């Protein structure tokens, strides 16, 4: 508990001296432990809760109000009095079972304000504010009301009044999918609705003039802000409705025409955290652990059944049109899939092909093999209205021997990764969850990639609404019961729940590598990942699926990967995920010297250092592998060539490392010479330096294996 009255007076004067109106009485200040960030809470003259945020003396958020619009009740937004106001401090260190670093410090000061309406019905609201040195957060608790069991929220009114026309990196506030390219504009120029109806997306709903979180902002003075949300539990996902004239955001919850409301909760309940990461430099955004710190500790007891791993899979061959997911079965009149002899012979997930991938993984220090298209139902996937009851998550196609393959994989020390494409029919999936996960458990398969491609069934629900948030949670909790870890595609966004449920190992939730294979707009431009590292990646692990070596995509004349090969290697370090795919066809790795990096690179880290970077331009990250002490470094650039000076100061003193540097050859260019990679071997120690020249769309990757 701390309450420094002279500091309060000083900051109050500072805060309110700039205002035209005098400060209302009853304000409370909350400072972060290192006095870096300050939250000022007050009730306005109308009794509306309002907050302001400072970073040093720079105002980050001007007076902004808080509240709810409700069905059948007046808005819960003003007419309040403060009942109690308490501050406390917390400082704990916890361990990530796998992650970007082993230990995380969770150090903050908290203010809890209980409010009650002064007039009947005297409804109560508690506000929780947390001030960290790397950001601030707030959440609501709606208190019990006499004679009322549950509340229906039609919208949340959490305002973020910005203090300038910041540069913003944003994707539209789509209710179904996050697979959009990032835009770089001033806040006043955000044009979210122009992204409606994207031809590459099987589902996309953008009803509000809003952006999705995390968005990232840079103020005129160079302060970086990002708005993730944390601990999204039994609530609708939050987008940020943009007021381009006032330069303000307001929470815009994802709704549902089927249910007619956005959130329904039994009283009392707490909302997710609304947080703002605040950093002097872009690199500090990536280093921040604010989002996981805002979640509850690990609830799963034994998680030793999952181990971080690299994987290959029957996947890219479908995206580059060399094979199909479906076998070519026919649905008979009783609704059963039968083999009527019309199979087209292009089916990828055959026993023989899977064994080829298992052998390849076993020979190359790769622990997993993903198999997509192993189960019946793919004949009625994209483009079919009625997909309920179609996919079956326990019945393999006739040419896929699931028992034999599990045995074979185990004998080679490799684990199969299950695949469940739900085709956005979550009720069908939920009905089969137990049997599907029982099967996995029996076969010793401990992770599944799920998918939700298409318009949600039932109609009127959206991927990011409360109903689906609860579905994704059910999958996570059921998975935990059967020792199954989840890598969701077309997911709900990451909000740091991996702290509580470490079996939330990874997810998509962005335009992944696959867009390079088939997007009508030519795929992800070179600036995509230098933006993703400072936006989407702040939310949590990404299953981006790097590692394309055959960058020209010979089977796809209109597409190519818009990076150099050296950048594909760098992504294993730059993008964090405890599962990392080597996504290209095994034959494309044969006799490639650069593949040694993928064999060597770690997936689980003792510590990570973000060495340099600017949003949308470039970023370099170094990570130390757990147990071995080996270090790996990855650096990527956008469409501009640039030189990066690397100081090996992050290495411990007194140790020598055998370094292999994989870099763009002098004539490399993502467009017409992407595969030109140069490989240097040298010995490196702390204090050494290297200057690396990155090609347009290029990058570099370095392995530093401990010698002595
Ligand atoms: C979309 C996923 O992102 C992709 O990786 C997968 O191959 C397809 N859905 C099929 O499930
Ligand atoms: Ca996808």
């Amino acid at each position: 508990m701390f309450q420094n009255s002279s500091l309060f007076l000083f900051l109050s004067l500072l805060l309110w001296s700039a205002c035209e109106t005098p400060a209302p009485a009853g304000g409370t200040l909350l400072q972060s432990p290192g006095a870096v960030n300050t939250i000022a809470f007050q009730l306005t003259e109308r009794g509306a809760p309002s907050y302001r945020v400072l970073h040093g003396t720079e105002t980050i958020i001007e007076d902004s109000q808080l509240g709810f619009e409700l069905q059948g009740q007046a808005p819960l937004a003003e007419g309040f009095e403060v009942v109690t106001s308490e501050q406390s401090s917390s400082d704990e260190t916890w361990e990530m079972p796998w992650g970007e670093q082993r230990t995380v410090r969770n150090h903050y000061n908290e203010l809890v304000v209980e409010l009650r309406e002064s007039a009947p019905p005297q409804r109560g609201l508690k506000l929780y504010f947390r001030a960290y040195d790397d950001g601030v957060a707030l959440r609501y608790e709606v208190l019990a009301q006499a004679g009322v069991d549950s509340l229906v929220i039609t919208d949340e009114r959490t305002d973020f009044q910005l203090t300038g026309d910041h540069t913003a990196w944003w994707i539209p506030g789509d209710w179904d999918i996050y697979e959009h390219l990032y835009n770089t504009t001033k806040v006043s120029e955000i044009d979210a609705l122009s992204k409606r109806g994207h031809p590459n997306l099987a589902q996309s709903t953008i009803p509000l003039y809003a952006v999705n979180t995390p968005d990232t902002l840079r103020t005129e003075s160079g302060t970086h802000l990002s708005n993730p949300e944390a601990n999204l539990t039994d609530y609708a996902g939050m987008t940020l409705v943009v007021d381009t004239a006032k330069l303000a955001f307001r929470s815009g919850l994802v709704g549902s025409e089927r249910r007619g409301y956005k959130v329904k909760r039994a009283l009392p309940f707490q909302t997710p955290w609304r947080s703002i990461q605040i950093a002097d430099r872009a690199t500090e955004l990536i280093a921040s652990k604010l989002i996981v710190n805002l979640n509850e500790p690990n609830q799963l007891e034994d998680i030793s059944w999952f181990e971080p791993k690299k994987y290959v899979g029957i996947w890219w061959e479908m995206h580059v049109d060399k094979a199909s997911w479906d076998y070519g079965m026919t649905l008979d009149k009783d609704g059963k899939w039968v083999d009527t002899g019309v199979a087209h012979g292009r089916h990828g997930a055959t026993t023989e092909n899977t064994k080829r991938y298992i052998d390849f993984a076993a020979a190359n220090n790769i622990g997993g093999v993903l198999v997509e298209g192993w189960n019946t139902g793919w004949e009625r996937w994209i483009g079919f209205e009625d997909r309920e009851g179609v996919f079956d998550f326990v019945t393999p196609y006739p040419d896929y021997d699931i028992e034999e393959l599990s045995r074979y994989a185990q004998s080679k020390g490799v684990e199969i990764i299950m695949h469940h494409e739900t085709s956005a029919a979550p009720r069908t999936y939920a009905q089969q969850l137990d049997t599907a996960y029982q099967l996995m458990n029996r076969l010793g398969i401990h992770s599944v990639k799920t998918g939700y491609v298409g318009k949600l069934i039932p109609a009127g629900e959206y991927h990011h609404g409360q109903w689906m948030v609860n579905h994704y949670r059910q999958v996570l909790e059921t998975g935990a019961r059967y020792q199954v870890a989840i890598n969701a595609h077309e997911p709900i966004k990451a909000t740091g729940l991996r702290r509580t449920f470490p079996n939330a190992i990874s997810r998509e939730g962005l335009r992944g590598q696959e867009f390079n294979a088939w997007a009508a707009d030519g795929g992800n431009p070179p600036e995509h990942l230098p933006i993703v590292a400072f936006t989407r990646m702040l939310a949590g692990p990404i299953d981006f699926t790097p590692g394309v070596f055959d960058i020209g995509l010979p089977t796809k004349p209109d597409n190519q990967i818009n990076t150099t090969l050296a950048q594909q290697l760098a992504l294993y370090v730059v993008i964090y995920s405890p599962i990392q795919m080597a996504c290209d066809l095994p034959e494309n790795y044969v006799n490639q010297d650069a593949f040694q990096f993928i064999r060597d690179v770690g997936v689980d880290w003792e510590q990570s250092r973000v060495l340099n970077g600017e949003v949308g331009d470039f970023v370099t990250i170094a990570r130390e592998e757990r147990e071995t002490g080996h270090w790996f470094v990855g650096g990527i650039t956008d469409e501009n060539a640039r030189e990066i000076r690397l100081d090996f100061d992050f290495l411990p003193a007194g140790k020598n490392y055998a370094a292999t540097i994989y870099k763009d050859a002098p004539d490399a260019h993502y467009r017409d010479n992407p595969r030109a990679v140069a490989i240097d071997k040298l010995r490196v120690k702390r204090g050494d330096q290297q200057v690396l020249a990155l090609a347009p769309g290029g990058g570099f990757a370095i392995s530093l294996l401990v010698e002595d």
Side-chain angles (χ1 to χ4, degrees):
M1 172 102 181
F2 81 100
Q3 193 95 46
N4 181 331
S5 54
S6 57
L7 174 78
F8 176 76
L9 207 69
F10 168 73
L11 277 166
S12 303
L13 287 172
L14 187 81
L15 276 170
W16 281 300
S17 58
C19 288
E20 284 162 23
T21 44
T28 310
L29 291 178
L30 176 74
Q31 274 208 315
S32 67
V36 179
N37 297 312
T38 307
I39 304 173
F41 169 78
Q42 60 176 340
L43 286 179
T44 66
E45 276 156 13
R46 297 178 63 87
S50 166
Y51 75 103
R52 188 185 292 196
V53 177
L54 276 98
H55 178 61
T57 54
E58 181 184 4
T59 305
I60 297 296
I61 301 293
E62 262 298 351
D63 290 342
S64 296
Q65 296 197 9
L66 302 170
F68 295 98
E69 283 162 30
L70 304 169
Q71 204 173 72
Q73 287 194 5
L76 197 56
E78 57 181 30
F80 288 109
E81 291 171 348
V82 173
V83 180
T84 56
S85 166
E86 281 185 17
Q87 294 201 15
S88 61
S89 299
S90 181
D91 188 3
E92 51 154 357
T93 298
W94 56 278
E95 199 165 306
M96 300 183 107
W98 41 82
E100 302 93 319
Q101 61 202 63
R102 189 184 293 273
T103 54
V104 178
R105 186 170 179 196
N106 186 14
H107 191 194
Y108 61 86
N109 291 325
E110 185 171 68
L111 166 68
V112 184
V113 188
E114 186 174 334
L115 304 172
R116 195 154 287 282
E117 290 173 323
S118 34
Q122 296 193 305
R123 295 170 300 175
L125 189 63
K126 248 190 201 175
L127 297 172
Y128 294 76
F129 295 96
R130 280 194 191 172
Y132 289 79
D133 286 342
D134 56 350
V136 296
L138 65 95
R139 88 185 320 176
Y140 304 85
E141 181 172 336
V142 182
L143 301 178
Q145 297 177 14
V148 181
D149 296 335
S150 61
L151 268 196
V152 168
I153 298 174
T154 48
D155 231 323
E156 183 186 311
R157 285 195 204 162
T158 304
D159 287 340
F160 303 87
Q161 177 59 57
L162 305 175
T163 53
D165 196 4
H166 308 326
T167 303
W169 289 270
W170 57 274
I171 54 170
D174 197 318
W175 285 9
D176 276 310
I177 197 130
Y178 307 106
E179 297 179 16
H180 290 270
L181 286 178
Y182 281 85
N183 302 276
T184 309
T185 68
K186 292 287 181 191
V187 172
S188 62
E189 290 159 359
I190 289 175
D191 184 12
L193 299 186
S194 70
K195 312 296 166 193
R196 275 177 173 161
H198 201 290
N200 290 323
L201 299 174
Q203 72 275 3
S204 179
T205 308
I206 310 176
L208 302 173
Y209 203 98
V211 299
N212 251 308
T213 75
D215 60 308
T216 292
L217 305 171
R218 186 172 61 211
T219 71
E220 191 87 326
S221 67
T223 303
H224 288 74
L225 314 173
S226 183
N227 278 108
E229 70 171 302
N231 193 350
L232 174 52
T233 298
D234 196 6
Y235 206 79
M238 179 185 71
T239 66
L240 294 172
V241 176
V242 187
D243 187 326
T244 52
K246 287 190 186 150
L247 305 177
F249 293 148
R250 171 175 280 190
S251 51
L253 301 181
V254 173
S256 156
E257 286 96 32
R258 185 173 77 106
R259 288 174 285 120
Y261 58 80
K262 295 192 165 179
V263 173
K264 183 172 185 179
R265 289 290 294 271
L267 287 170
F269 68 89
Q270 293 186 334
T271 67
W273 289 97
R274 279 66 184 90
S275 52
I276 308 169
Q277 279 186 229
I278 308 173
D280 291 328
R281 278 176 290 278
T283 49
E284 292 166 13
L285 288 177
I286 299 177
S288 166
K289 284 282 154 286
L290 183 69
I291 269 216
V292 271
N293 275 335
L294 287 167
N295 278 270
E296 303 301 320
N298 180 4
Q299 275 183 19
L300 310 186
E301 279 156 19
D302 174 23
I303 39 175
S304 59
W305 43 265
F306 174 78
E307 277 179 23
K309 54 171 74 67
K310 288 170 277 190
Y311 71 103
V312 289
I314 300 179
W315 180 73
W316 194 236
E317 42 186 289
M318 278 82 96
H319 288 274
V320 296
D321 287 347
K322 289 191 85 174
S324 69
W325 281 275
D326 75 285
Y327 172 90
M329 299 193 87
T330 314
L331 202 55
D332 75 6
K333 57 177 178 13
D334 304 322
K336 288 241 173 313
W337 288 108
V338 285
D339 185 358
T340 53
V342 296
H344 43 58
R346 298 184 68 243
H347 184 219
T350 66
T351 304
E352 194 192 348
N353 200 22
T354 309
K355 284 191 172 173
R356 188 170 69 94
Y357 278 81
I358 293 170
D359 291 344
F360 180 81
N364 289 290
N365 190 28
I366 290 174
V369 173
L370 167 73
V371 188
E372 294 201 4
W374 68 275
N375 60 324
T376 58
W378 288 92
E379 288 78 2
R380 286 174 63 84
W381 177 42
I382 278 185
F384 289 86
E385 284 288 302
D386 184 11
R387 303 174 314 272
E388 205 80 276
V390 171
F391 268 114
D392 177 321
F393 303 99
V394 293
T395 307
Y397 278 130
D399 55 351
Y400 187 79
D401 188 340
I402 195 167
E403 305 281 340
E404 160 62 8
L405 283 166
S406 308
R407 190 204 56 74
Y408 188 76
Q410 263 161 31
S411 77
K412 298 269 175 168
V414 169
E415 198 172 306
I416 295 213
I417 298 175
M418 180 50 83
H419 184 240
H420 292 160
E421 172 56 63
T422 68
S423 67
R427 290 184 300 206
T428 293
Y429 189 41
Q431 274 163 12
Q432 297 183 43
L433 264 189
D434 280 277
T435 40
Y437 289 3
Q438 264 158 22
L439 173 70
M440 287 177 60
N441 191 279
R442 180 172 69 70
L443 296 173
I445 297 178
H446 291 291
S447 57
V448 59
K449 171 179 170 180
T450 57
Y452 296 83
V453 171
K455 283 245 165 255
L456 242 253
I457 305 176
E461 292 293 353
Y462 299 94
H463 285 69
H464 308 156
Q466 184 186 16
W467 189 74
M468 276 304 284
V469 165
N470 289 340
H471 169 81
Y472 291 113
R473 180 64 62 88
Q474 182 192 357
V475 170
L476 210 50
E477 291 183 357
T478 311
R481 282 207 300 282
Y482 292 101
Q483 302 195 332
V484 168
I486 313 293
N487 165 25
H489 279 228
E490 298 75 53
I492 187 64
K493 63 187 156 187
T495 59
L497 279 161
R498 66 180 162 135
R499 181 178 180 194
T500 318
F501 301 99
N503 67 321
I505 45 173
S506 197
R507 75 190 70 207
E508 190 186 39
L510 85 168
R511 266 178 68 130
Q513 181 89 282
E514 63 194 38
F515 275 76
N516 294 321
W518 41 251
D521 58 11
N524 301 330
E527 67 163 18
H528 182 56
L529 291 169
I531 300 179
V532 161
F534 297 95
T535 50
R536 159 68 182 85
M537 198 167 86
L538 306 181
I542 305 178
D543 187 34
F544 181 76
T545 68
V548 177
F549 273 32
D550 199 1
I551 287 184
L553 308 179
T555 54
K556 304 285 301 198
D558 299 332
N559 293 82
Q560 72 159 70
I561 310 290
N562 294 317
T563 74
T564 64
L565 194 151
Q567 180 174 123
Q568 289 293 310
L569 299 180
L571 299 179
Y572 289 89
V573 189
V574 169
I575 296 174
Y576 170 68
S577 173
I579 49 160
Q580 283 283 26
M581 188 173 204
C583 82
D584 211 337
L585 314 175
E587 52 269 37
N588 291 337
Y589 293 132
V590 172
N591 297 327
Q592 296 291 323
D593 292 341
F595 187 62
Q596 187 59 38
F597 183 79
I598 299 182
R599 284 193 194 100
D600 290 339
V601 69
V603 276
D604 191 20
W605 310 107
E606 185 68 32
Q607 54 173 319
S608 294
R609 303 276 180 85
V610 187
L611 301 180
N612 52 52
E614 291 296 344
V615 188
D617 298 336
F618 67 99
V619 60
T620 308
I621 301 182
R623 304 192 195 268
E624 182 195 348
E625 190 179 25
R626 289 195 194 185
E627 314 304 337
T628 66
H630 300 326
W631 281 82
F632 297 88
V633 189
I636 62 173
T637 180
D638 60 4
E639 69 283 1
N640 298 306
R642 69 185 79 231
E643 276 192 352
I644 297 286
R645 203 190 69 167
L646 200 63
D647 293 315
F648 288 97
D649 288 351
F650 53 85
L651 294 174
K655 279 195 176 166
N656 286 310
Y657 292 82
T660 309
I661 303 182
Y662 304 78
K663 61 187 184 188
D664 297 320
D667 56 347
H669 191 294
Y670 75 91
R671 210 176 294 123
D672 45 33
N673 194 17
R675 298 182 57 150
V677 64
I679 304 177
D680 293 342
K681 286 183 188 287
L682 60 159
R683 180 179 259 203
V684 160
K685 57 180 184 329
R686 185 187 172 92
D688 290 349
Q689 290 178 351
Q690 277 283 320
V691 175
L692 292 145
L694 283 68
F700 66 90
I702 306 178
S703 60
L704 295 152
L705 310 184
V706 192
E707 265 190 343
D708 49 56

